[in-house]
PDB file of all heavy atoms in Angstrom:
ATOM      1  N   ALA A   1      -3.664  10.018   4.599  1.00 98.00           N
ATOM      2  CA  ALA A   1      -4.418   9.535   3.443  1.00 98.00           C
ATOM      3  C   ALA A   1      -3.537   9.606   2.201  1.00 98.00           C
ATOM      4  O   ALA A   1      -2.487  10.266   2.186  1.00 98.00           O
ATOM      5  CB  ALA A   1      -5.695  10.355   3.247  1.00 98.00           C
ATOM      6  N   ILE A   2      -3.976   8.908   1.156  1.00 98.00           N
ATOM      7  CA  ILE A   2      -3.272   8.862  -0.124  1.00 98.00           C
ATOM      8  C   ILE A   2      -4.061   9.685  -1.139  1.00 98.00           C
ATOM      9  O   ILE A   2      -5.282   9.535  -1.261  1.00 98.00           O
ATOM     10  CB  ILE A   2      -3.131   7.414  -0.628  1.00 98.00           C
ATOM     11  CG1 ILE A   2      -2.553   6.504   0.466  1.00 98.00           C
ATOM     12  CG2 ILE A   2      -2.280   7.375  -1.890  1.00 98.00           C
ATOM     13  CD1 ILE A   2      -1.164   6.890   0.931  1.00 98.00           C
ATOM     14  N   PHE A   3      -3.345  10.549  -1.878  1.00 98.00           N
ATOM     15  CA  PHE A   3      -4.018  11.428  -2.831  1.00 98.00           C
ATOM     16  C   PHE A   3      -3.333  11.374  -4.193  1.00 98.00           C
ATOM     17  O   PHE A   3      -2.115  11.164  -4.284  1.00 98.00           O
ATOM     18  CB  PHE A   3      -3.992  12.873  -2.332  1.00 98.00           C
ATOM     19  CG  PHE A   3      -4.817  13.110  -1.098  1.00 98.00           C
ATOM     20  CD1 PHE A   3      -4.256  12.965   0.158  1.00 98.00           C
ATOM     21  CD2 PHE A   3      -6.154  13.470  -1.191  1.00 98.00           C
ATOM     22  CE1 PHE A   3      -5.008  13.174   1.313  1.00 98.00           C
ATOM     23  CE2 PHE A   3      -6.914  13.684  -0.056  1.00 98.00           C
ATOM     24  CZ  PHE A   3      -6.343  13.538   1.206  1.00 98.00           C
ATOM     25  N   ASP A   4      -4.128  11.609  -5.216  1.00 96.00           N
ATOM     26  CA  ASP A   4      -3.574  11.790  -6.551  1.00 96.00           C
ATOM     27  C   ASP A   4      -2.721  13.053  -6.552  1.00 96.00           C
ATOM     28  O   ASP A   4      -3.036  14.036  -5.873  1.00 96.00           O
ATOM     29  CB  ASP A   4      -4.700  11.912  -7.575  1.00 96.00           C
ATOM     30  CG  ASP A   4      -4.171  11.923  -9.001  1.00 96.00           C
ATOM     31  OD1 ASP A   4      -3.829  13.025  -9.496  1.00 96.00           O
ATOM     32  OD2 ASP A   4      -4.095  10.853  -9.617  1.00 96.00           O
ATOM     33  N   LEU A   5      -1.662  13.025  -7.335  1.00 93.00           N
ATOM     34  CA  LEU A   5      -0.726  14.158  -7.346  1.00 93.00           C
ATOM     35  C   LEU A   5      -1.382  15.443  -7.834  1.00 93.00           C
ATOM     36  O   LEU A   5      -0.926  16.539  -7.494  1.00 93.00           O
ATOM     37  CB  LEU A   5       0.480  13.827  -8.226  1.00 93.00           C
ATOM     38  CG  LEU A   5       1.248  12.553  -7.876  1.00 93.00           C
ATOM     39  CD1 LEU A   5       2.453  12.398  -8.787  1.00 93.00           C
ATOM     40  CD2 LEU A   5       1.665  12.560  -6.423  1.00 93.00           C
ATOM     41  N   THR A   6      -2.442  15.328  -8.607  1.00 94.00           N
ATOM     42  CA  THR A   6      -3.107  16.521  -9.148  1.00 94.00           C
ATOM     43  C   THR A   6      -4.161  17.095  -8.206  1.00 94.00           C
ATOM     44  O   THR A   6      -4.746  18.138  -8.501  1.00 94.00           O
ATOM     45  CB  THR A   6      -3.781  16.190 -10.489  1.00 94.00           C
ATOM     46  OG1 THR A   6      -4.769  15.174 -10.276  1.00 94.00           O
ATOM     47  CG2 THR A   6      -2.759  15.687 -11.498  1.00 94.00           C
ATOM     48  N   ASP A   7      -4.403  16.441  -7.078  1.00 97.00           N
ATOM     49  CA  ASP A   7      -5.411  16.891  -6.115  1.00 97.00           C
ATOM     50  C   ASP A   7      -4.800  17.996  -5.251  1.00 97.00           C
ATOM     51  O   ASP A   7      -4.209  17.735  -4.205  1.00 97.00           O
ATOM     52  CB  ASP A   7      -5.878  15.719  -5.254  1.00 97.00           C
ATOM     53  CG  ASP A   7      -7.092  16.071  -4.399  1.00 97.00           C
ATOM     54  OD1 ASP A   7      -7.354  17.269  -4.200  1.00 97.00           O
ATOM     55  OD2 ASP A   7      -7.766  15.141  -3.912  1.00 97.00           O
ATOM     56  N   GLU A   8      -4.945  19.238  -5.695  1.00 96.00           N
ATOM     57  CA  GLU A   8      -4.259  20.360  -5.051  1.00 96.00           C
ATOM     58  C   GLU A   8      -4.846  20.750  -3.701  1.00 96.00           C
ATOM     59  O   GLU A   8      -4.203  21.436  -2.920  1.00 96.00           O
ATOM     60  CB  GLU A   8      -4.284  21.581  -5.986  1.00 96.00           C
ATOM     61  CG  GLU A   8      -3.530  21.392  -7.284  1.00 96.00           C
ATOM     62  CD  GLU A   8      -2.025  21.260  -7.062  1.00 96.00           C
ATOM     63  OE1 GLU A   8      -1.532  21.763  -6.042  1.00 96.00           O
ATOM     64  OE2 GLU A   8      -1.358  20.638  -7.915  1.00 96.00           O
ATOM     65  N   THR A   9      -6.062  20.324  -3.413  1.00 97.00           N
ATOM     66  CA  THR A   9      -6.706  20.696  -2.149  1.00 97.00           C
ATOM     67  C   THR A   9      -6.946  19.492  -1.235  1.00 97.00           C
ATOM     68  O   THR A   9      -7.573  19.619  -0.193  1.00 97.00           O
ATOM     69  CB  THR A   9      -8.048  21.399  -2.411  1.00 97.00           C
ATOM     70  OG1 THR A   9      -8.925  20.507  -3.113  1.00 97.00           O
ATOM     71  CG2 THR A   9      -7.843  22.674  -3.211  1.00 97.00           C
ATOM     72  N   SER A  10      -6.434  18.341  -1.644  1.00 98.00           N
ATOM     73  CA  SER A  10      -6.634  17.099  -0.874  1.00 98.00           C
ATOM     74  C   SER A  10      -8.116  16.836  -0.639  1.00 98.00           C
ATOM     75  O   SER A  10      -8.553  16.512   0.468  1.00 98.00           O
ATOM     76  CB  SER A  10      -5.886  17.172   0.470  1.00 98.00           C
ATOM     77  OG  SER A  10      -4.506  17.412   0.279  1.00 98.00           O
ATOM     78  N   ALA A  11      -8.897  16.956  -1.711  1.00 97.00           N
ATOM     79  CA  ALA A  11     -10.358  16.822  -1.593  1.00 97.00           C
ATOM     80  C   ALA A  11     -10.831  15.376  -1.655  1.00 97.00           C
ATOM     81  O   ALA A  11     -11.845  15.032  -1.042  1.00 97.00           O
ATOM     82  CB  ALA A  11     -11.035  17.624  -2.707  1.00 97.00           C
ATOM     83  N   SER A  12     -10.078  14.504  -2.375  1.00 98.00           N
ATOM     84  CA  SER A  12     -10.591  13.149  -2.637  1.00 98.00           C
ATOM     85  C   SER A  12      -9.509  12.096  -2.398  1.00 98.00           C
ATOM     86  O   SER A  12      -8.712  11.793  -3.299  1.00 98.00           O
ATOM     87  CB  SER A  12     -11.092  13.038  -4.082  1.00 98.00           C
ATOM     88  OG  SER A  12     -12.073  14.018  -4.350  1.00 98.00           O
ATOM     89  N   PRO A  13      -9.456  11.521  -1.193  1.00 98.00           N
ATOM     90  CA  PRO A  13      -8.488  10.448  -0.925  1.00 98.00           C
ATOM     91  C   PRO A  13      -8.690   9.271  -1.865  1.00 98.00           C
ATOM     92  O   PRO A  13      -9.832   8.939  -2.234  1.00 98.00           O
ATOM     93  CB  PRO A  13      -8.795  10.053   0.525  1.00 98.00           C
ATOM     94  CG  PRO A  13      -9.502  11.225   1.109  1.00 98.00           C
ATOM     95  CD  PRO A  13     -10.280  11.836  -0.014  1.00 98.00           C
ATOM     96  N   LEU A  14      -7.604   8.635  -2.274  1.00 97.00           N
ATOM     97  CA  LEU A  14      -7.688   7.482  -3.160  1.00 97.00           C
ATOM     98  C   LEU A  14      -8.142   6.243  -2.387  1.00 97.00           C
ATOM     99  O   LEU A  14      -7.902   6.135  -1.182  1.00 97.00           O
ATOM    100  CB  LEU A  14      -6.324   7.211  -3.803  1.00 97.00           C
ATOM    101  CG  LEU A  14      -5.799   8.278  -4.766  1.00 97.00           C
ATOM    102  CD1 LEU A  14      -4.391   7.924  -5.218  1.00 97.00           C
ATOM    103  CD2 LEU A  14      -6.718   8.435  -5.966  1.00 97.00           C
ATOM    104  N   PRO A  15      -8.777   5.296  -3.068  1.00 96.00           N
ATOM    105  CA  PRO A  15      -9.209   4.057  -2.402  1.00 96.00           C
ATOM    106  C   PRO A  15      -8.001   3.216  -1.978  1.00 96.00           C
ATOM    107  O   PRO A  15      -6.876   3.411  -2.456  1.00 96.00           O
ATOM    108  CB  PRO A  15     -10.023   3.340  -3.486  1.00 96.00           C
ATOM    109  CG  PRO A  15     -10.303   4.354  -4.531  1.00 96.00           C
ATOM    110  CD  PRO A  15      -9.185   5.345  -4.476  1.00 96.00           C
ATOM    111  N   ASP A  16      -8.254   2.254  -1.104  1.00 96.00           N
ATOM    112  CA  ASP A  16      -7.207   1.330  -0.678  1.00 96.00           C
ATOM    113  C   ASP A  16      -6.569   0.642  -1.884  1.00 96.00           C
ATOM    114  O   ASP A  16      -7.256   0.287  -2.861  1.00 96.00           O
ATOM    115  CB  ASP A  16      -7.787   0.263   0.249  1.00 96.00           C
ATOM    116  CG  ASP A  16      -7.925   0.751   1.678  1.00 96.00           C
ATOM    117  OD1 ASP A  16      -7.795   1.973   1.901  1.00 96.00           O
ATOM    118  OD2 ASP A  16      -8.152  -0.088   2.562  1.00 96.00           O
ATOM    119  N   GLY A  17      -5.248   0.488  -1.808  1.00 95.00           N
ATOM    120  CA  GLY A  17      -4.521  -0.204  -2.860  1.00 95.00           C
ATOM    121  C   GLY A  17      -4.063   0.684  -3.997  1.00 95.00           C
ATOM    122  O   GLY A  17      -3.258   0.251  -4.823  1.00 95.00           O
ATOM    123  N   HIS A  18      -4.544   1.920  -4.058  1.00 96.00           N
ATOM    124  CA  HIS A  18      -4.118   2.842  -5.108  1.00 96.00           C
ATOM    125  C   HIS A  18      -2.904   3.634  -4.635  1.00 96.00           C
ATOM    126  O   HIS A  18      -2.870   4.126  -3.508  1.00 96.00           O
ATOM    127  CB  HIS A  18      -5.254   3.789  -5.490  1.00 96.00           C
ATOM    128  CG  HIS A  18      -6.320   3.137  -6.302  1.00 96.00           C
ATOM    129  ND1 HIS A  18      -6.496   3.390  -7.641  1.00 96.00           N
ATOM    130  CD2 HIS A  18      -7.254   2.210  -5.975  1.00 96.00           C
ATOM    131  CE1 HIS A  18      -7.494   2.674  -8.104  1.00 96.00           C
ATOM    132  NE2 HIS A  18      -7.974   1.943  -7.109  1.00 96.00           N
ATOM    133  N   ILE A  19      -1.921   3.754  -5.505  1.00 95.00           N
ATOM    134  CA  ILE A  19      -0.675   4.421  -5.156  1.00 95.00           C
ATOM    135  C   ILE A  19      -0.771   5.911  -5.461  1.00 95.00           C
ATOM    136  O   ILE A  19      -1.185   6.317  -6.549  1.00 95.00           O
ATOM    137  CB  ILE A  19       0.510   3.798  -5.922  1.00 95.00           C
ATOM    138  CG1 ILE A  19       0.661   2.326  -5.540  1.00 95.00           C
ATOM    139  CG2 ILE A  19       1.794   4.560  -5.649  1.00 95.00           C
ATOM    140  CD1 ILE A  19       1.649   1.577  -6.393  1.00 95.00           C
ATOM    141  N   GLY A  20      -0.391   6.718  -4.513  1.00 96.00           N
ATOM    142  CA  GLY A  20      -0.390   8.163  -4.674  1.00 96.00           C
ATOM    143  C   GLY A  20       0.497   8.783  -3.611  1.00 96.00           C
ATOM    144  O   GLY A  20       1.275   8.094  -2.947  1.00 96.00           O
ATOM    145  N   GLU A  21       0.365  10.092  -3.451  1.00 97.00           N
ATOM    146  CA  GLU A  21       1.199  10.777  -2.464  1.00 97.00           C
ATOM    147  C   GLU A  21       0.632  10.607  -1.059  1.00 97.00           C
ATOM    148  O   GLU A  21      -0.561  10.772  -0.823  1.00 97.00           O
ATOM    149  CB  GLU A  21       1.306  12.265  -2.792  1.00 97.00           C
ATOM    150  CG  GLU A  21       2.243  12.994  -1.830  1.00 97.00           C
ATOM    151  CD  GLU A  21       2.403  14.476  -2.155  1.00 97.00           C
ATOM    152  OE1 GLU A  21       1.423  15.084  -2.627  1.00 97.00           O
ATOM    153  OE2 GLU A  21       3.495  15.012  -1.927  1.00 97.00           O
ATOM    154  N   ILE A  22       1.506  10.306  -0.131  1.00 98.00           N
ATOM    155  CA  ILE A  22       1.129  10.222   1.277  1.00 98.00           C
ATOM    156  C   ILE A  22       1.033  11.643   1.820  1.00 98.00           C
ATOM    157  O   ILE A  22       1.972  12.433   1.677  1.00 98.00           O
ATOM    158  CB  ILE A  22       2.172   9.432   2.089  1.00 98.00           C
ATOM    159  CG1 ILE A  22       2.365   8.038   1.502  1.00 98.00           C
ATOM    160  CG2 ILE A  22       1.781   9.355   3.559  1.00 98.00           C
ATOM    161  CD1 ILE A  22       3.601   7.325   2.029  1.00 98.00           C
ATOM    162  N   ARG A  23      -0.119  11.977   2.419  1.00 98.00           N
ATOM    163  CA  ARG A  23      -0.281  13.303   3.009  1.00 98.00           C
ATOM    164  C   ARG A  23      -0.778  13.154   4.440  1.00 98.00           C
ATOM    165  O   ARG A  23      -1.509  12.215   4.773  1.00 98.00           O
ATOM    166  CB  ARG A  23      -1.246  14.158   2.181  1.00 98.00           C
ATOM    167  CG  ARG A  23      -0.723  14.407   0.765  1.00 98.00           C
ATOM    168  CD  ARG A  23      -1.659  15.275  -0.059  1.00 98.00           C
ATOM    169  NE  ARG A  23      -1.224  15.344  -1.453  1.00 98.00           N
ATOM    170  CZ  ARG A  23      -1.903  15.943  -2.423  1.00 98.00           C
ATOM    171  NH1 ARG A  23      -3.071  16.530  -2.148  1.00 98.00           N
ATOM    172  NH2 ARG A  23      -1.443  15.961  -3.664  1.00 98.00           N
ATOM    173  N   ILE A  24      -0.395  14.114   5.291  1.00 98.00           N
ATOM    174  CA  ILE A  24      -0.668  14.002   6.720  1.00 98.00           C
ATOM    175  C   ILE A  24      -1.190  15.326   7.281  1.00 98.00           C
ATOM    176  O   ILE A  24      -0.945  16.397   6.730  1.00 98.00           O
ATOM    177  CB  ILE A  24       0.598  13.597   7.500  1.00 98.00           C
ATOM    178  CG1 ILE A  24       1.747  14.580   7.201  1.00 98.00           C
ATOM    179  CG2 ILE A  24       1.014  12.178   7.154  1.00 98.00           C
ATOM    180  CD1 ILE A  24       3.001  14.344   8.022  1.00 98.00           C
ATOM    181  N   ALA A  25      -1.915  15.230   8.387  1.00 98.00           N
ATOM    182  CA  ALA A  25      -2.398  16.414   9.098  1.00 98.00           C
ATOM    183  C   ALA A  25      -2.527  16.052  10.567  1.00 98.00           C
ATOM    184  O   ALA A  25      -2.727  14.893  10.926  1.00 98.00           O
ATOM    185  CB  ALA A  25      -3.741  16.879   8.540  1.00 98.00           C
ATOM    186  N   GLY A  26      -2.389  17.059  11.437  1.00 98.00           N
ATOM    187  CA  GLY A  26      -2.549  16.794  12.859  1.00 98.00           C
ATOM    188  C   GLY A  26      -1.612  17.643  13.703  1.00 98.00           C
ATOM    189  O   GLY A  26      -0.801  18.422  13.179  1.00 98.00           O
ATOM    190  N   PRO A  27      -1.675  17.510  15.018  1.00 98.00           N
ATOM    191  CA  PRO A  27      -0.920  18.377  15.924  1.00 98.00           C
ATOM    192  C   PRO A  27       0.595  18.187  15.893  1.00 98.00           C
ATOM    193  O   PRO A  27       1.323  19.048  16.382  1.00 98.00           O
ATOM    194  CB  PRO A  27      -1.486  18.011  17.306  1.00 98.00           C
ATOM    195  CG  PRO A  27      -2.065  16.642  17.143  1.00 98.00           C
ATOM    196  CD  PRO A  27      -2.578  16.594  15.745  1.00 98.00           C
ATOM    197  N   SER A  28       1.076  17.087  15.320  1.00 98.00           N
ATOM    198  CA  SER A  28       2.528  16.886  15.211  1.00 98.00           C
ATOM    199  C   SER A  28       3.131  17.649  14.039  1.00 98.00           C
ATOM    200  O   SER A  28       4.350  17.848  13.975  1.00 98.00           O
ATOM    201  CB  SER A  28       2.846  15.396  15.039  1.00 98.00           C
ATOM    202  OG  SER A  28       2.447  14.636  16.145  1.00 98.00           O
ATOM    203  N   VAL A  29       2.281  18.057  13.095  1.00 98.00           N
ATOM    204  CA  VAL A  29       2.764  18.620  11.827  1.00 98.00           C
ATOM    205  C   VAL A  29       3.142  20.091  11.996  1.00 98.00           C
ATOM    206  O   VAL A  29       2.418  20.870  12.619  1.00 98.00           O
ATOM    207  CB  VAL A  29       1.697  18.469  10.733  1.00 98.00           C
ATOM    208  CG1 VAL A  29       2.147  19.115   9.432  1.00 98.00           C
ATOM    209  CG2 VAL A  29       1.382  16.992  10.515  1.00 98.00           C
TER     210      VAL A  29
END
């Protein structure tokens, strides 16, 4: 998901088309 840089807990993913930090989660991480 894409998040605003100030979202310290990854609580609110940005809508489609909005630029932010790419963040990932899952068994590969």
